[in-house]
C-alpha cells in the first residue's frame, strides 16, 4: 500500500464500508447474457430508442451491471480500485489491460509527468478569450492545440499555396479575399515555411497510438487547470513533477498544494469516473475514431458529448438545484413543484443503473465526510440527503430511479475548492482514460459505425416551384 493510502486510511475505511454495503445489498452473479460470451455477428438484440439495448461491439475494458449496481474495470471491482489503487495505475490498467509492474508504473508515470508540461499549447490558448467560453469549449480548443503540436500539421499537401491562401492580418477578418477573381489575394501569408517544433511527431500515425493516449490523459488535466485559472483571470501554473496526477491537477487548478486527504479524495473521484461502458461520450469518441479520424478528434467529440446536462453536465446542475432548494425543510415543496412541472431531478436516474449507482455509494459517504469540515459542502450535503430520501421514497423502488454519480460529485468538488463551472471538465480529466482505452480497443478491429434510421417521412411528393408555394402544403 502506498504512503498516501496509509496517511488517508480513514478514506479507505469509508470506501470499504461502502463496498461491504453494496455487496450485502446485491447478489454476486453476473448477467449471463452480457459477459464471457463470444458474439456471433450479426447479433440479435432488442433495441430501444437512443440505441438502448443495442450491442455495438465487444470489449474487455469494463463492465456495468445496471440491475445490481456493479462497475468493473478490466475484471477489477471499482470498490477495490478506489480502496487500493491510484488514477495513474487505473489508467494504465484500462489502456493496457493488466495492472502494471512497479517498473511499468514508473515508466507510465514518467510519461504522464513529461506530458503535463504544455507551454506551446497554453501560450496559444491564452490568445483566445477562454474566459468567455463555456469551460468545455476551452477543453476542446486545448485538445485541438495538443493535436496540432503532436502532428504539427495534417500533411504538407493540405497546406494552401500562397496565391490561393485565405489571408488575414491584424486588422482584417479572416475571409476569402478574391471574390472578384483578382489575381492575388489582398492579404497573404508570406511564402516562408513555418518551423516544425522539434518535438512534433513526423507522421499522423502518432495521433493514433498509445503515446497519444498518455499525451491526452496527462494533457487534459493541464488544460483543464489552465482553463480554470484563465476563467479567474489568473495565469496558468507550471506543473509540479513531484506530485501525483490528482495532487498536481488540484494544485494547477487552485494554486494550492492539496493536503494528502484532498489528494486522495480527488484521486478516488478520478478513479470512479474513468470508464463507464458505452456511455454517450465514449460512444461519441468511438464513432469518430471509427472513421479513422485520429484519437484527438475522437476525444474532442467525447468532450462535446459530455458537456450536455443529461450526461456530464448534470453535477453542475445538481449543485445549482441544491442551492436553489436552500434548506432540507424546503425539499418536499420543491420536489412536488418539480414533479408537477414534469421536471427531472438532476443527479438521479440512469440509462443502465436501475439500482443504486456504485459510484454514488462511494461519493455519498465522501461528501458526508467532507461536509463535516467544509461549510459550503455542509450546506449542500444537508439538502442533498433530504432530497435523496424524498426521491428514493417517491421514485426509487417504484420507478427504479436512484442517485447517480453526479448527485454527490459536485458536493465533493465544492469541498475541494473547485468552481461549479469546472465540474464537467473534471469529469473529462478522468473519463479521458476510458475514452482512449475503448477507442484504441475498437480500432484493433475497426468497422465504421453506421446505424440506420426508420424513415417516417413522406414519399412521392411533387416538387412545387418557389413562386407557386402557398406555404399551406
Ligand atoms: N427525475 C425524474 N424522473 C426521471 C429522471 C429524473 N432524474 N430520470 C428519468 N426519469 C423518468 C422519466 O421522466 C421517464 O418517465 P416516464 O416514463 O413517465 O416518461 C422515465 O424515468 C424514463 O426516463 P428516460 O428518459 O427514458 O430514461 P433514460 O434512460 O433515457 O435517461 C437519464 C437516463 C438521461 C440519465 C435520465 O435519468 C435523466 O435525465 N437524469 C437526470 C440527468 C442526470 O442526472 N444525468 C447524469 C447521468 S449519469 C452520467 O451521465 C454520468
Amino acid at each position: 500500500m502506498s504512503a498516501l493510502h496509509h496517511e488517508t486510511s480513514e478514506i479507505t475505511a469509508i470506501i470499504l464500508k461502502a463496498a461491504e454495503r453494496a455487496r450485502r445489498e446485491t447478489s454476486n452473479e453476473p448477467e449471463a447474457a452480457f459477459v464471457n460470451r463470444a458474439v456471433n455477428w450479426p447479433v440479435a438484440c432488442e433495441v430501444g430508442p437512443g440505441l438502448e439495448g443495442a450491442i455495438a461491439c465487444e470489449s474487455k475494458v469494463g463492465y456495468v451491471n445496471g440491475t445490481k449496481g456493479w462497475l468493473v474495470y478490466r475484471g477489477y471491482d471499482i470498490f477495490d480500485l478506489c480502496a487500493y489503487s491510484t488514477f495513474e495505475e487505473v489508467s494504465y490498467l484500462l489502456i493496457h489491460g493488466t495492472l502494471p509492474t512497479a517498473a511499468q508504473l514508473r515508466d507510465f508515470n514518467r510519461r504522464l509527468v513529461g506530458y503535463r508540461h504544455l507551454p506551446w499549447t497554453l501560450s496559444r490558448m491564452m490568445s483566445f478569450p477562454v474566459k468567455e467560453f463555456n469551460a468545455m469549449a476551452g477543453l476542446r480548443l486545448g485538445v485541438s492545440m495538443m493535436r496540432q503540436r503532436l502532428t504539427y500539421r495534417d500533411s504538407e499537401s493540405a497546406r494552401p499555396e500562397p496565391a490561393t491562401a485565405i489571408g488575414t492580418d491584424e486588422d482584417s477578418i479572416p475571409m476569402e479575399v478574391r471574390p472578384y477573381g483578382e489575381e492575388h489575394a489582398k492579404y497573404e501569408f508570406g511564402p516562408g515555411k513555418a518551423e516544425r517544433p522539434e518535438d512534433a511527431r513526423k507522421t499522423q500515425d502518432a495521433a493514433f497510438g498509445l503515446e497519444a493516449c498518455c499525451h491526452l490523459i496527462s494533457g487534459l488535466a493541464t488544460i483543464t487547470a489552465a482553463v480554470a485559472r484563465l476563467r479567474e483571470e489568473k495565469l496558468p501554473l507550471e506543473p509540479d513533477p513531484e506530485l501525483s496526477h490528482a495532487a498536481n491537477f488540484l494544485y494547477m487548478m487552485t494554486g494550492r498544494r492539496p493536503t494528502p486527504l484532498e489528494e486522495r479524495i480527488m484521486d478516488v473521484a478520478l478513479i470512479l469516473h474513468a470508464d463507464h461502458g458505452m456511455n454517450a461520450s465514449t460512444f461519441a469518441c468511438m464513432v469518430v475514431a471509427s472513421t479513422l479520424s485520429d484519437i484527438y478528434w475522437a476525444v474532442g467529440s467525447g468532450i462535446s458529448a459530455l458537456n450536455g446536462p443529461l450526461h456530464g453536465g448534470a453535477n453542475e446542475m445538481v449543485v445549482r438545484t441544491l442551492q436553489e432548494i436552500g434548506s432540507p425543510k424546503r425539499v418536499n415543496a420543491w420536489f412536488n413543484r418539480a414533479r408537477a412541472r414534469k421536471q427531472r431531478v438532476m443527479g438521479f436516474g440512469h440509462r443502465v443503473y436501475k439500482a443504486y449507482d456504485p459510484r454514488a455509494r462511494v461519493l455519498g459517504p465522501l461528501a458526508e465526510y467532507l461536509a463535516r469540515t467544509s461549510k459550503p459542502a455542509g450546506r449542500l450535503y444537508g439538502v442533498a440527503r433530504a432530497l435523496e430520501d424524498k426521491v428514493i421514497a417517491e421514485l426509487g423502488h417504484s420507478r427504479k430511479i436512484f442517485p447517480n454519480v453526479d448527485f454527490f460529485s459536485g458536493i465533493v468538488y465544492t469541498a475541494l475548492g473547485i468552481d461549479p463551472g469546472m465540474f464537467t471538465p473534471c469529469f473529462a480529466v478522468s473519463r479521458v482514460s476510458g475514452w482512449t482505452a475503448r477507442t484504441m480497443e475498437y480500432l484493433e478491429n475497426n468497422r465504421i459505425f453506421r446505424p440506420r434510421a426508420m424513415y417516417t417521412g413522406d414519399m412521392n411528393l411533387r416538387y412545387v416551384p418557389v413562386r407557386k408555394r402557398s406555404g399551406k402544403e
Side-chain angles (χ1 to χ4, degrees):
M1 198 185 280
S2 74
L4 178 65
H5 286 73
H6 273 300
E7 278 185 62
T8 56
S9 53
E10 256 180 297
I11 303 301
T12 311
I14 289 173
I15 296 163
L16 293 177
K17 200 167 154 205
E20 195 211 300
R21 185 167 173 198
R23 281 169 198 144
R24 221 179 325 117
E25 291 177 4
T26 63
S27 61
N28 58 1
E29 288 297 310
E31 297 153 298
F34 291 105
V35 288
N36 293 332
R37 260 186 57 197
V39 177
N40 289 322
W41 300 98
V43 63
C45 56
E46 205 163 294
V47 181
L51 292 181
E52 181 173 6
I55 311 263
C57 62
E58 295 166 46
S59 175
K60 291 183 166 53
V61 175
Y63 168 64
V64 184
N65 182 329
T67 327
K68 294 175 178 175
W70 293 0
L71 176 56
V72 171
Y73 296 168
R74 298 276 188 188
Y76 296 93
D77 186 284
I78 191 67
F79 293 110
D80 286 345
L81 293 172
C82 286
Y84 306 119
S85 189
T86 60
F87 178 70
E88 289 87 327
E89 196 176 63
V90 164
S91 297
Y92 184 101
L93 172 70
L94 288 170
I95 290 175
H96 292 272
T98 54
L99 284 170
T101 62
Q104 286 167 333
L105 187 58
R106 261 198 311 278
D107 180 58
F108 189 64
N109 274 333
R110 193 181 43 74
R111 282 160 197 252
L112 293 185
V113 168
Y115 282 136
R116 273 179 202 169
H117 196 62
L118 301 174
W120 188 93
T121 299
L122 296 192
S123 67
R124 262 107 196 127
M125 277 180 72
M126 285 164 67
S127 61
F128 286 84
V130 170
K131 184 172 178 269
E132 293 161 28
F133 289 11
N134 161 327
M136 293 293 272
L139 261 63
R140 278 209 66 152
L141 172 70
V143 166
S144 298
M145 297 288 183
M146 283 175 67
R147 176 179 188 280
Q148 177 69 2
R149 181 66 176 165
L150 191 92
T151 61
Y152 187 47
R153 68 168 66 107
D154 292 355
S155 68
E156 292 296 323
S157 60
R159 187 171 163 76
E161 289 302 313
T164 58
I166 294 172
T168 180
D169 68 8
E170 294 270 300
D171 302 320
S172 70
I173 301 163
M175 58 191 290
E176 175 56 75
V177 286
R178 296 198 306 154
Y180 306 108
E182 298 94 324
E183 205 168 308
H184 291 289
K186 206 162 159 196
Y187 303 111
E188 280 177 1
F189 291 116
K193 214 164 154 29
E195 290 294 313
R196 179 191 291 277
E198 251 173 47
D199 56 345
R201 306 302 189 277
K202 297 236 167 4
T203 66
Q204 270 205 76
D205 298 352
F208 276 110
L210 282 172
E211 210 52 38
C213 297
C214 290
H215 190 219
L216 281 161
I217 291 170
S218 185
L220 212 56
T222 297
I223 286 173
T224 300
V227 168
R229 291 187 66 81
L230 292 171
R231 281 159 66 93
E232 291 177 7
E233 297 188 338
K234 293 177 184 153
L235 286 175
L237 291 173
E238 286 280 307
D240 181 341
E242 300 301 321
L243 296 179
S244 70
H245 189 80
N248 179 65
F249 175 49
L250 277 176
Y251 162 64
M252 286 182 75
M253 192 158 35
T254 63
R256 187 175 61 77
R257 280 179 176 70
T259 63
L261 208 87
E262 291 167 328
E263 174 185 5
R264 178 78 198 282
I265 290 173
M266 188 72 225
D267 198 42
V268 170
L270 289 173
I271 293 171
L272 284 172
H273 290 87
D275 183 62
H276 205 252
M278 296 287 285
N279 59 85
S281 57
T282 300
F283 187 51
C285 290
M286 291 168 68
V287 170
V288 168
S290 82
T291 69
L292 298 186
S293 244
D294 65 45
I295 202 144
Y296 291 84
W297 292 109
V299 165
S301 310
I303 292 169
S304 308
L306 190 66
N307 180 54
L310 295 188
H311 191 10
N315 56 4
E316 188 182 339
M317 310 264 289
V318 168
V319 166
R320 298 202 194 289
T321 302
L322 298 176
Q323 283 165 341
E324 180 196 321
I325 298 174
S327 141
K329 281 187 278 178
R330 295 174 57 189
V331 160
N332 279 355
W334 182 90
F335 179 83
N336 293 336
R337 264 201 319 277
R339 289 300 289 163
R341 278 181 291 185
K342 298 200 180 316
Q343 182 185 329
R344 285 173 186 228
V345 191
M346 288 291 141
F348 287 87
H350 199 276
R351 171 62 63 79
V352 181
Y353 289 124
K354 301 302 167 201
Y356 209 106
D357 183 330
R359 302 164 298 174
R361 283 187 188 273
V362 174
L363 288 170
L366 288 181
E368 183 182 15
Y369 176 81
L370 288 164
R372 286 183 219 149
T373 48
S374 153
K375 265 199 191 146
R379 275 194 294 275
L380 294 174
Y381 184 77
V383 184
R385 212 18 113 203
L387 184 59
E388 180 190 357
D389 290 346
K390 181 71 184 166
V391 176
I392 293 185
E394 299 282 337
L395 306 172
H397 300 288
S398 57
R399 308 289 307 272
K400 308 241 179 287
I401 292 175
F402 294 97
N404 60 49
V405 66
D406 282 333
F407 189 57
F408 293 110
S409 61
I411 304 177
V412 169
Y413 294 147
T414 299
L416 295 177
I418 300 170
D419 179 75
M422 295 308 297
F423 292 172
T424 313
C426 287
F427 195 156
V429 166
S430 167
R431 184 56 58 83
V432 65
S433 297
W435 289 339
T436 49
R438 286 190 185 255
T439 301
M440 293 293 288
E441 181 189 53
Y442 189 74
L443 286 173
E444 282 170 25
N445 290 303
N446 183 48
R447 188 143 197 250
I448 190 167
F449 281 103
R450 180 56 168 95
R452 293 185 67 177
M454 187 68 75
Y455 179 68
T456 55
D458 293 323
M459 288 287 227
N460 301 323
L461 295 184
R462 196 171 50 85
Y463 181 84
V464 181
V466 67
R467 62 180 190 289
K468 293 194 178 164
R469 285 176 216 158
S470 65
K472 289 187 187 135
E473 296 88 354

